[in-house]
Amino acid sequence: MSTTPQTNPTVAELIARSNRLGSDPKNTNYAGGNTSAKGTDRDPVTGEDVELLWVKGSGGDLGTLKESGLATLRLDRMRAMVNTYPGVEREDEMVAAFDYTLHGKGGAAPSIDTAMHGLVDAAHVDHLHPDSGIAIATAADGPELTEKIFGDKVVWVPWRRPGFQLGLDIAEIKRANPQAVGCILGGHGITAWGDTSSESEQNSLWIIDTAAKYIEENSKPEPFGAPLDGYGALDEAERRAKAAALMPTIRTIASADRPQVGHFTDDDVVLDFLAHAEHPRLAELGTSCPDHFLRTKVKPLVLDLPADASIEDSVNRLRELHEAYRTDYQAYYDRHAEADSPAIRGADPAIVLVPGVGMFSFGKDKQTARVAGEFYINAINVMRGAEGLSTYAPIDEREKFRIEYWALEEAKLQRMPKPKELATRIALVTGAASGIGKAIAKRLVAEGAVVAIADLNLEKAQETAQELGGPDKAIGIAADVSDETAVRQAINETLLAFGGLDIVVNNAGLSLSKSLLETTEKDWDLQHNVMAKGSFLVSKTAAKVLIEQGLGGDIIYISSKNSVFAGPNNIAYSATKADQAHQVRLLAAELGEHQIRVNGINPDGVVQGSGIFASGWGANRAKTYGIEESELGKFYAQRTILKREVLPENVANAAFALISSDLSHTTGLHVPVDAGVAAAFLR
């Protein structure tokens, strides 16, 4: 007999419906909205059926929702809360009371919208944030449009902050309007219901699609006004080059209070918005749906220069606008903060818009930054719909503040896990598709960083990036470090993917094992071009970004014990490693004033996973030492003081130690990772 618990059929239907609705961006944004179902299940204490409410828990995403993401409540106890409800002024107290209605362990934490789902007298309820629905919800004449578009099947609900009272309001609307299938929530989104899961889903889709069709058929031709001369999109190559050139400054702007990770998009929706006359007015109004402005901040920073403005002029103006933005945000906070309000969380923008170029979005990690950008695209779509039919009229500033600095939102933020050591740090690791580079990249991601995997072999770089978690954690890029143009392109790709650069690991290399007389000029040049010149080019190009950002940074050189130790048949390799080792000292002395630390690591032969050893170096070294190639790792271990083989992970550990806060006051250091080779001791 199977002991695996079977999913309740009602729950299975709810999960399937949620995934379908949440996987289509026209229905709702990432982590936006919630769904629920009411049904019965066996109470293991009494053995009798009990009525339950299953509802998406706090912070979950409908598109990827699993059963573990549901909150499970006793319906009778949840509805009994109406009898102890102290009124709208104290409705926040009801959130803690939900804990006393949970069934068993209760699953995920109940969200603020739980009351809406539990109190509405329908077996299935969907609350969603579709662009088309929010466009109606934010139109100045939203109530009239709701009636015109939907008749009496959808009822307008004036703006009310999410919570217990909103649940009561919608429950009363459902009771008073038995013909209705849902609501437009002013300034917010939609809610729909049904007697079956299928009926609720169909009602949700009908509201969304009907609103979208009405907007499409009735919108005025230019919702964002006339085209602005000079504000049209630059061609793709030009706008991406300009975006990369501006990114260090924009990241500095977004990170004045705390470091942030970024994301860039030149989506047509953004470029079209910025190319029209009304974009300054609409951007200043900010977003409306709570999910939107919690992710994007109360409003974006918009560069007020045409697309062909020079980089220098754009940088100077962005800095001026940043100061004005911070002053304005502080004033916004001061206007509305009360004695018990949470402290200001920072006055920097989360969204920066540059006409002709695109949108730069920022957050505590790559996913947060990317999603913030997606939310602002949702907001642009909402503005287009509202302006096309009426006038965009988001909820007022006071209400936005009440959401942004809500005690419940603050408590949610405080429950977030402590950031990892390298959170918000952006790294570029060269030669990272295998061996030492791959191990370092893996360790950096594990410690919270995002990483650009740069390698000559693009396919392997992309495979490695996928192994490490995909584009929200790592990207794979092609890079020939001996080519200055290729290096610049690799760093530009890193900037556009992650918003900046903090850590550079010069690891790319190759080796030719030949005696002095066998080493050709071509051999010598190849070794030096890849490692000595390559490290120089990467460090020089990266240092420009690090200095412009003003956030400090780390440059790590993977040198070698051969930079100190003199071995046979190794002239070109060891000489270039000595070059790299001295670059560490030279750059540490030069870049220290910018708080950029430069350190090196001197490994002994790392055989496992090494691209260098697999490409013939291992066979040559084994021949030099008169052993089988398969025994090379053990041979290297036996010549060390500790008699231990050096693995890629050992070098990765050293790289992390040098980058971490524990060695924040260390620069110009070479760390041996060689299990003890006396001849390579630094002295």
Side-chain angles (χ1 to χ4, degrees):
M1 178 183 292
S2 172
T3 58
T4 304
Q6 299 298 307
T7 298
N8 183 294
T10 302
V11 172
E13 279 190 327
L14 173 60
I15 295 295
R17 176 174 104 237
S18 302
N19 293 165
R20 285 192 299 270
L21 289 171
S23 61
D24 189 338
K26 81 176 176 64
N27 298 331
T28 200
N29 39 250
Y30 175 82
N34 27 70
T35 51
S36 69
K38 303 177 183 74
T40 60
D41 206 358
R42 181 177 174 276
D43 186 330
V45 175
T46 65
E48 299 176 356
D49 282 348
V50 59
E51 282 193 287
L52 300 176
L53 168 70
W54 292 277
V55 58
K56 192 202 84 170
S58 178
D61 171 55
L62 289 175
T64 55
L65 184 66
K66 296 179 174 60
E67 187 171 354
S68 58
L70 296 174
T72 308
L73 296 82
R74 286 280 298 261
L75 192 57
D76 58 344
R77 292 181 63 81
M78 191 265 137
R79 286 181 167 171
M81 292 170 67
V82 173
N83 301 324
T84 57
Y85 176 50
V88 68
E89 295 302 318
R90 292 171 54 195
E91 69 172 338
D92 288 0
E93 297 172 19
M94 305 304 282
V95 175
F98 284 139
D99 290 347
Y100 295 90
T101 73
L102 299 177
H103 179 64
K105 294 184 178 180
S111 79
I112 192 66
D113 285 318
T114 298
M116 179 194 306
H117 293 271
L119 299 179
V120 170
D121 186 19
H124 300 266
V125 178
D126 300 326
H127 168 59
L128 303 169
H129 297 156
D131 294 349
S132 63
I134 304 174
I136 307 303
T138 56
D141 53 350
E144 292 78 14
L145 281 171
T146 299
E147 184 176 1
K148 187 174 183 180
I149 297 168
F150 305 105
D152 63 357
K153 292 185 68 176
V154 177
V155 182
W156 174 267
V157 180
W159 161 259
R160 185 183 291 281
R161 190 173 66 166
F164 203 84
Q165 186 61 53
L166 181 59
L168 287 170
D169 292 348
I170 297 176
E172 174 56 25
I173 283 171
K174 168 72 168 63
R175 187 199 63 77
N177 297 272
Q179 79 290 347
V181 301
C183 300
I184 296 289
L185 280 58
H188 186 163
I190 73 165
T191 297
W193 48 75
D195 292 332
T196 66
S197 184
S198 177
E199 186 177 82
S200 184
E201 182 176 0
Q202 291 308 310
N203 287 338
S204 294
L205 295 174
W206 178 77
I207 295 173
I208 294 166
D209 293 341
T210 300
K213 183 179 180 183
Y214 186 88
I215 293 168
E216 181 181 2
E217 293 178 350
N218 295 275
S219 179
K220 60 190 177 188
E222 293 284 5
F224 294 145
L228 271 176
D229 187 35
Y231 280 69
L234 301 172
D235 66 56
E236 183 178 6
E238 189 177 359
R239 67 178 178 257
R240 291 183 69 82
K242 188 171 183 179
L246 293 176
M247 188 65 92
T249 295
I250 294 177
R251 188 186 184 211
T252 302
I253 285 170
S255 302
D257 287 311
R258 61 185 64 85
Q260 301 283 283
V261 177
H263 175 76
F264 170 73
T265 180
D266 52 0
D267 191 286
D268 289 344
V269 171
V270 177
L271 296 171
D272 178 70
F273 176 63
L274 295 173
H276 288 81
E278 295 300 320
H279 83 262
R281 172 181 67 85
L282 293 168
E284 184 66 21
L285 288 172
T287 56
S288 187
C289 175
D291 268 11
H292 290 185
F293 60 77
L294 282 173
R295 299 275 189 164
T296 65
K297 222 147 189 174
V298 69
K299 63 182 178 182
L301 185 155
V302 185
L303 179 62
D304 53 1
L305 294 177
D308 62 356
S310 69
I311 298 298
E312 182 180 4
D313 287 347
S314 298
V315 164
N316 290 336
R317 184 58 178 152
L318 282 165
R319 288 172 177 160
E320 292 173 353
L321 290 168
H322 180 223
E323 289 304 311
Y325 187 99
R326 289 180 61 83
T327 299
D328 186 60
Y329 188 87
Q330 182 68 58
Y332 155 76
Y333 179 85
D334 294 340
R335 277 194 300 276
H336 303 296
E338 298 176 351
D340 60 349
S341 294
I344 191 170
R345 298 194 192 102
D348 300 319
I351 303 290
V352 177
L353 301 172
V354 178
V357 177
M359 173 169 58
F360 304 75
S361 53
F362 293 86
K364 63 185 178 66
D365 53 36
K366 169 64 177 185
Q367 184 192 57
T368 303
R370 174 179 55 78
V371 169
E374 292 172 1
F375 272 66
Y376 200 78
I377 288 176
N378 290 134
I380 293 173
N381 290 334
V382 166
M383 294 176 199
R384 178 187 291 106
E387 286 284 307
L389 300 179
S390 173
T391 301
Y392 175 61
I395 62 174
D396 67 32
E397 183 184 273
R398 169 63 181 164
E399 287 302 303
K400 291 179 184 179
F401 183 87
R402 291 182 69 225
I403 295 285
E404 186 177 359
Y405 286 93
W406 200 353
L408 296 177
E409 182 66 24
E410 180 68 14
K412 184 177 177 180
L413 293 173
Q414 293 302 323
R415 291 195 300 269
M416 298 291 286
K418 183 181 178 182
K420 294 181 178 179
E421 170 77 18
L422 299 184
T424 76
R425 303 290 297 279
I426 301 163
L428 170 72
V429 183
T430 66
S434 62
I436 291 172
K438 183 174 181 178
I440 291 173
K442 183 177 181 180
R443 181 64 189 274
L444 297 184
V445 168
E447 299 293 346
V450 290
V451 183
I453 309 293
D455 202 275
L456 260 180
N457 189 319
L458 176 60
E459 184 178 352
K460 286 187 177 180
Q462 291 173 335
E463 287 174 0
T464 298
Q466 200 59 39
E467 285 179 37
L468 298 185
D472 283 343
K473 301 289 186 182
I475 60 165
I477 55 179
D480 176 354
V481 297
S482 68
D483 182 320
E484 186 170 14
T485 300
V487 168
R488 188 181 303 111
Q489 180 61 29
I491 288 179
N492 282 352
E493 287 187 51
T494 305
L495 295 175
L496 294 177
F498 297 127
L501 186 61
D502 302 296
I503 299 164
V504 176
V505 181
N506 279 309
N507 171 72
L510 78 162
S511 187
L512 303 171
S513 177
K514 294 183 179 181
S515 68
L516 171 64
L517 298 182
E518 293 173 321
T519 300
T520 66
E521 182 180 0
K522 183 179 178 181
D523 294 334
W524 179 269
D525 288 343
L526 178 61
Q527 289 277 209
H528 282 72
N529 281 341
V530 172
M531 293 191 291
K533 177 185 172 184
S535 296
F536 156 72
L537 290 175
V538 171
S539 296
K540 177 184 177 182
T541 310
K544 183 176 185 295
V545 173
L546 297 176
I547 292 169
E548 286 180 10
Q549 284 181 154
L551 300 173
D554 287 274
I555 300 176
I556 301 290
Y557 278 69
I558 306 303
S559 184
S560 169
K561 71 108 170 54
N562 287 329
S563 66
V564 180
F565 172 79
N569 299 334
N570 212 1
I571 177 66
Y573 178 82
S574 294
T576 198
K577 283 299 182 183
D579 185 315
Q580 285 185 306
H582 200 47
Q583 284 186 41
V584 169
R585 304 180 187 98
L586 294 167
L587 297 188
E590 183 172 338
L591 299 177
E593 66 176 292
H594 302 290
Q595 299 303 304
I596 300 168
R597 301 183 300 149
V598 187
N599 293 291
I601 299 172
N602 289 348
D604 193 10
V606 178
V607 178
Q608 287 193 27
S610 169
I612 288 179
F613 277 88
S615 64
W617 169 260
N620 287 330
R621 299 314 291 166
K623 182 179 179 181
T624 296
Y625 296 122
I627 60 174
E628 294 296 321
E629 185 178 358
S630 61
E631 299 298 311
L632 195 56
K634 292 179 182 179
F635 173 81
Y636 283 151
Q638 290 307 308
R639 71 185 186 184
T640 71
I641 294 169
L642 298 177
K643 302 294 188 290
R644 296 175 184 172
E645 182 177 353
V646 179
L647 304 176
E649 290 73 21
N650 303 136
V651 184
N653 293 341
F656 170 65
L658 287 168
I659 293 164
S660 75
S661 58
D662 288 348
L663 292 180
S664 61
H665 290 57
T666 298
T667 192
L669 174 68
H670 280 281
V671 177
V673 182
D674 58 11
V677 177
F681 282 174
L682 297 169
R683 56 189 181 273

